[in-house]
Amino acid sequence: MSDQIKTHQINSEKWFLELRNQMVGAIEKVDGSKFEENKWQRPGGGGGLMSILKGDIFEKVGVNISTVHGKFSEELRKSMPGTEKDSSFWASGISVVAHMKNPRIAAAHFNTRYITTSGNQWFGGGCDLTPAIPEEEETNNFHEGLKRTCDQHNLDFYKKFKKECDEYFYLKHRKEPRGIGGIFFDYMNNNFEKDLSFIRDIGQYFINFLISNVTRKKDLDYDENDLNLLLKKRSRYVEFNLLYDRGTLFGLKTNGNIDAILMSMPPNANWD
């Protein structure tokens, strides 16, 4: 492994930790509750930090970071670029999932990661919203902010990544989208410094939006019917994450921490 790649790994891992600390601090401040933290080690190499908060506004929010390394299984190796001669890998990332008590605030998801193999390196990730009760202002604010952030880096990013998100966060078995979309990208490998700058800005945008959106909507009234809509929508969230989510599948196939992998599950859901 070259010194340059090692530097890229250090810089990406450092950013994920920095963003994690920002997110934990901002969420604790607005909710008034504290995260419970759990460090874990991966038998094959590496580990991570899982942080879960169950509060007054956030019914359940997880902020996880991990850095793992080792060798891909033969099954997973076939789908990973740069593993033709060597199945070794290194991966670092952050994952955030927030489920709200108030059904009028959309569930929010964000993750970014940096993966290196013997023959390739890339960033991937994205963010999206899953409202039980869609609100035009919430949807517009989210997408307009994403577009502004993307446009600072490349005028083609938002349109391209929005399309990828709409196609990715889609429940094929139900023929319906998971939520109102966002952006999704993978195998980003243009220029490391420029790519990392984009990754940083998307992370900053997400936490700023999350806090402002929660602050705006946390005191809205809701009733029993709204709660039933929330539980039904959460069932769709569960189905997507268990059937299609790449991060879930990657974690399971690389012997990651099960609790950290499944922290995205809502505290309750309803299929009735």
Side-chain angles (χ1 to χ4, degrees):
M1 182 184 299
S2 71
D3 290 341
Q4 184 182 54
I5 292 177
K6 289 181 180 178
T7 299
H8 291 171
Q9 291 176 343
I10 291 170
N11 289 342
S12 59
E13 182 180 10
K14 181 180 178 181
W15 163 244
F16 297 140
L17 175 59
E18 180 181 337
L19 180 61
R20 178 264 174 201
N21 292 339
Q22 287 185 32
M23 289 189 172
V24 165
I27 291 170
E28 287 184 340
K29 183 177 180 179
V30 74
D31 191 278
S33 304
K34 292 291 185 181
F35 279 88
E36 293 186 4
E37 300 179 353
N38 180 32
K39 290 185 178 180
W40 56 273
Q41 295 295 318
R42 176 177 172 273
L49 175 62
M50 178 175 67
S51 303
I52 301 290
L53 179 148
K54 297 179 181 178
D56 295 327
I57 299 170
F58 294 84
E59 186 168 5
K60 178 186 177 185
V61 54
V63 182
N64 292 352
I65 55 170
S66 64
T67 299
V68 297
H69 55 86
K71 290 185 177 294
F72 285 130
S73 66
E74 285 304 311
E75 176 190 4
L76 193 55
R77 179 179 180 177
K78 295 175 183 177
S79 62
M80 291 294 170
T83 59
E84 295 80 10
K85 297 180 179 179
D86 186 344
S87 63
S88 299
F89 77 94
W90 179 97
S92 185
I94 178 171
S95 179
V96 182
V97 177
H99 294 287
M100 312 301 181
K101 280 191 173 181
N102 191 321
R104 296 192 174 275
I105 309 175
H109 157 258
F110 164 88
N111 81 85
T112 48
R113 56 193 174 270
Y114 184 62
I115 300 176
T116 66
T117 61
S118 60
N120 213 331
Q121 310 87 43
W122 67 91
F123 282 103
C127 57
D128 70 299
L129 294 184
T130 305
I133 305 170
E135 180 205 33
E136 186 175 358
E137 182 175 354
E138 183 179 68
T139 299
N140 290 343
N141 287 347
F142 185 60
H143 280 281
E144 287 170 2
L146 277 176
K147 185 177 188 304
R148 285 195 302 271
T149 305
C150 288
D151 285 353
Q152 294 172 10
H153 296 268
N154 188 309
L155 294 178
D156 295 328
F157 275 1
Y158 175 73
K159 182 178 179 180
K160 177 182 178 182
F161 297 157
K162 179 183 182 301
K163 180 175 183 293
E164 291 187 25
C165 183
D166 291 340
E167 293 173 350
Y168 177 62
F169 290 107
Y170 185 79
L171 288 87
K172 302 177 183 66
H173 62 290
R174 292 192 181 275
K175 296 181 173 59
E176 65 183 55
R178 185 172 85 170
I180 55 91
I183 62 170
F184 180 79
F185 53 92
D186 212 350
Y187 306 112
M188 176 179 283
N189 183 14
N190 303 306
N191 170 280
F192 178 83
E193 296 302 331
K194 291 182 179 179
D195 292 345
L196 180 59
S197 176
F198 172 70
I199 294 296
R200 290 173 63 95
D201 285 351
I202 290 298
Q204 296 283 187
Y205 169 72
F206 177 81
I207 187 57
N208 290 339
F209 172 83
L210 179 65
I211 298 303
S212 65
N213 192 53
V214 165
T215 301
R216 180 177 68 85
K217 304 187 73 177
K218 64 184 177 65
D219 295 321
L220 293 178
D221 292 332
Y222 59 89
D223 56 25
E224 193 68 25
N225 182 60
D226 297 331
L227 287 172
N228 289 334
L229 290 173
L230 175 65
L231 293 176
K232 181 178 180 180
K233 192 62 178 179
R234 283 179 174 177
S235 71
R236 304 299 197 258
Y237 204 95
V238 170
E239 290 176 13
F240 179 88
N241 280 31
L242 293 181
L243 292 173
Y244 306 115
D245 187 81
R246 293 183 189 176
T248 300
L249 297 175
F250 182 88
L252 292 173
K253 292 180 179 180
T254 55
N255 298 315
N257 180 281
I258 298 299
D259 291 332
I261 295 167
L262 297 180
M263 72 85 178
S264 62
M265 296 296 105
N268 46 51
N270 197 331
W271 277 262
D272 290 340

